[in-house]
Amino acid sequence: MWYNGLLDLPVWQLILVALALTHVTIVSVTLYLHRHSAHNSLDLNPVLSHFFRFWLWLTTSIVTKEWTAIHRKHHAMCETENDPHSPVVKGLKKVLTEGSELYAEAATPETLERYGQRTPQDWVERNVYTRHRTWGITLMAVIDLLLFGVNGIWIWAVQMMWSPVWAAGVINGIGHYFGYRNFECADNARNIVPWGILVGGEELHNNHHTYPNSSKLSRRWYEIDIGWGYIRLFQLFGLAKPKGYRPIAHRVPGKLAVDVETVQAIANNRFDIMRQYRKRVLEPVLRQQKQVVEKDIKPAYSRARKLLFRETSLIKPHDQKHLDSLLDNNAVLRQIYDKSQELQELWRRRGLKSNEKMQALVEWCREAEDSGIRYLEEFAAHLKSYALRPA
């Protein structure tokens, strides 16, 4: 029938088509806008890059320079008053329901000038994609109506909603509010789920904020970044080249001494180093100490577990009081907690020369080995084995 469009598809096929079209949009956002344009962690063939740019014009009316600049500002000002879309500052409801509006508000000339460098400025970008940004979604509406008839109305509506809801709302909102943290980065970013499929891998938001220049967002063996799968597929055909997805640090069996490479390696892999410290030192010592305290004190130890691992700038004042009280009454926990803070000072302190950092790490390892705490001694030996991965 004419009102079913040129393709005249049954309902189940229309649903599949809608999902496929929206999936291409999400892939365009995560590969082109996010990993390629905003973070320069992925090189794309010019033909593939322009296809993504054209598709985003058709389905979202997003301007590359605006999206890139706002996202870079988000990383630079994360969880502050200047963050364009922080749920911690603006509230989760506002970010979930007004994600696109927040992007529009943030696209000021000052933001574009400061954070929008190295984005397309060719003739098509200036005279079509930017100047006539709404022409694309209008053309998409016409195409949907021609191909799918009256069903093209809801298919177009789904396309228009998909990126604002999932990318602008869910990732920017829930991704800074609910989920789990592999790494204690300095902001509240969280992995929503370990399987990044629906939003192209962006669900692994804590991983991304920890390693923003990595083109691969999965970090644990059970995590799935479907965007990385597409990158590998395009790489087979010479259409994509990932950058910075492997840690430059690795362990050398039998290495027993700290050198400058050790310091450089652990500094560059610092978030994973602190995750290992949590697993190898903090958690086993906490379990050990919890077993020997009075029964009525055990809940306090359970409550303090996450606080021992938490990024200090994210601990709330009342939680900090609870943590301080526990540490003041347990010398062993105080020691391993202080050692974790001292270790982080190696890369937090500015202005230290390489040799000074090396001597500080040597001293840290010596104190750990003399602590009488087996887990701390073993971790010192673990640190000494690190070096830079050969080119």
Side-chain angles (χ1 to χ4, degrees):
M1 301 295 287
W2 65 267
Y3 53 79
N4 285 331
L6 297 176
L7 297 181
D8 195 13
L9 299 176
V11 173
W12 68 271
Q13 290 184 3
L14 289 170
I15 293 173
L16 291 179
V17 166
L19 290 174
L21 293 175
T22 54
H23 187 69
V24 175
T25 300
I26 287 296
V27 172
S28 302
V29 170
T30 186
L31 263 59
Y32 170 70
L33 284 178
H34 195 191
R35 309 185 203 203
H36 170 71
S37 182
H39 291 289
N40 193 31
S41 65
L42 173 68
D43 285 337
L44 292 174
N45 179 278
V47 174
L48 184 60
S49 174
H50 201 119
F51 166 76
F52 287 141
R53 194 157 42 124
F54 172 70
W55 186 260
L56 289 166
W57 177 69
L58 276 180
T59 60
T60 67
S61 75
I62 288 174
V63 174
T64 300
K65 185 172 186 175
E66 291 182 3
W67 196 99
T68 299
I70 293 164
H71 186 74
R72 288 172 178 168
K73 184 176 182 180
H74 164 62
H75 277 268
M77 305 291 181
C78 197
E79 317 291 26
T80 70
E81 291 290 339
N82 293 318
D83 188 334
H85 44 68
S86 169
V88 175
V89 176
K90 300 181 183 299
L92 179 59
K93 181 181 178 182
K94 187 174 182 67
V95 177
L96 280 174
T97 60
E98 301 178 35
S100 293
E101 290 82 353
L102 290 174
Y103 269 84
E105 291 174 10
T108 63
E110 294 79 13
T111 296
L112 300 186
E113 176 66 25
R114 180 173 181 180
Y115 297 102
Q117 304 301 316
R118 303 183 306 281
T119 52
Q121 292 296 317
D122 54 27
W123 185 92
V124 177
E125 186 67 38
R126 297 193 312 272
N127 295 284
V128 181
Y129 298 153
T130 301
R131 179 176 296 178
H132 303 295
R133 61 191 303 164
T134 60
W135 285 15
I137 58 176
T138 303
L139 177 60
M140 190 76 251
V142 173
I143 293 171
D144 285 343
L145 287 171
L146 287 174
L147 293 178
F148 312 116
V150 294
N151 289 298
I153 298 173
W154 67 262
I155 290 176
W156 182 82
V158 168
Q159 286 182 280
M160 296 304 104
M161 291 171 57
W162 205 257
S163 179
V165 170
W166 289 104
V170 172
I171 300 303
N172 292 335
I174 294 177
H176 281 264
Y177 222 86
F178 299 112
Y180 70 97
R181 288 166 65 89
N182 279 333
F183 308 100
E184 283 302 312
C185 57
D187 56 68
N188 206 45
R190 297 169 180 274
N191 295 329
I192 301 173
V193 291
W195 312 289
I197 298 173
L198 190 62
V199 201
E202 299 295 334
E203 296 93 330
L204 298 165
H205 207 54
N206 172 254
N207 294 357
H208 168 61
H209 269 253
T210 304
Y211 298 102
N213 296 322
S214 173
S215 54
K216 183 181 181 182
L217 305 189
S218 57
R219 288 286 163 175
R220 305 271 75 82
W221 65 267
Y222 53 83
E223 293 175 341
I224 298 173
D225 170 16
I226 196 172
W228 177 247
Y230 283 115
I231 290 172
R232 284 305 207 186
L233 177 63
F234 291 136
Q235 190 177 13
L236 287 176
F237 297 97
L239 298 174
K241 182 181 179 181
K243 300 186 290 186
Y245 64 92
R246 296 173 64 194
I248 67 172
H250 77 135
R251 295 186 63 206
V252 178
K255 185 173 181 293
L256 301 175
V258 171
D259 52 28
V260 173
E261 269 203 16
T262 310
V263 178
Q264 294 173 338
I266 68 170
N268 279 280
N269 203 34
R270 57 191 179 276
F271 292 105
D272 193 60
I273 292 293
M274 295 316 301
R275 183 178 184 275
Q276 292 178 42
Y277 189 89
R278 183 186 79 191
K279 296 290 186 181
R280 292 169 174 263
V281 182
L282 283 169
E283 287 185 348
V285 171
L286 181 62
R287 284 195 300 268
Q288 194 177 66
Q289 294 299 304
K290 189 177 176 181
Q291 291 175 356
V292 299
V293 298
E294 299 294 332
K295 187 176 181 180
D296 58 339
I297 303 178
K298 290 182 186 292
Y301 278 69
S302 298
R303 180 184 169 193
R305 179 180 176 274
K306 288 186 178 181
L307 299 178
L308 285 167
F309 318 142
R310 192 82 160 124
E311 160 64 31
T312 53
S313 63
L314 300 178
I315 299 177
K316 298 176 181 178
H318 66 277
D319 287 329
Q320 186 65 57
K321 288 182 180 179
H322 173 74
L323 179 60
D324 290 340
S325 176
L326 179 70
L327 296 177
D328 289 343
N329 288 284
N330 191 307
V332 175
L333 286 181
R334 168 63 75 182
Q335 187 173 8
I336 62 164
Y337 182 77
D338 287 348
K339 293 302 291 182
S340 74
Q341 300 304 307
E342 290 170 14
L343 184 58
Q344 292 177 75
E345 279 298 308
L346 287 175
W347 47 78
R348 285 175 175 165
R349 289 177 63 187
R350 304 293 182 185
L352 286 181
K353 297 178 181 179
S354 296
N355 284 337
E356 292 174 327
K357 290 183 178 180
M358 185 184 74
Q359 289 303 318
L361 182 58
V362 168
E363 181 64 17
W364 189 96
C365 289
R366 186 191 63 77
E367 292 177 356
E369 290 167 343
D370 293 342
S371 66
I373 302 173
R374 177 170 61 88
Y375 300 108
L376 204 49
E377 296 169 12
E378 292 173 352
F379 192 77
H382 175 78
L383 282 184
K384 290 179 182 179
S385 68
Y386 273 94
L388 296 176
R389 189 183 298 277

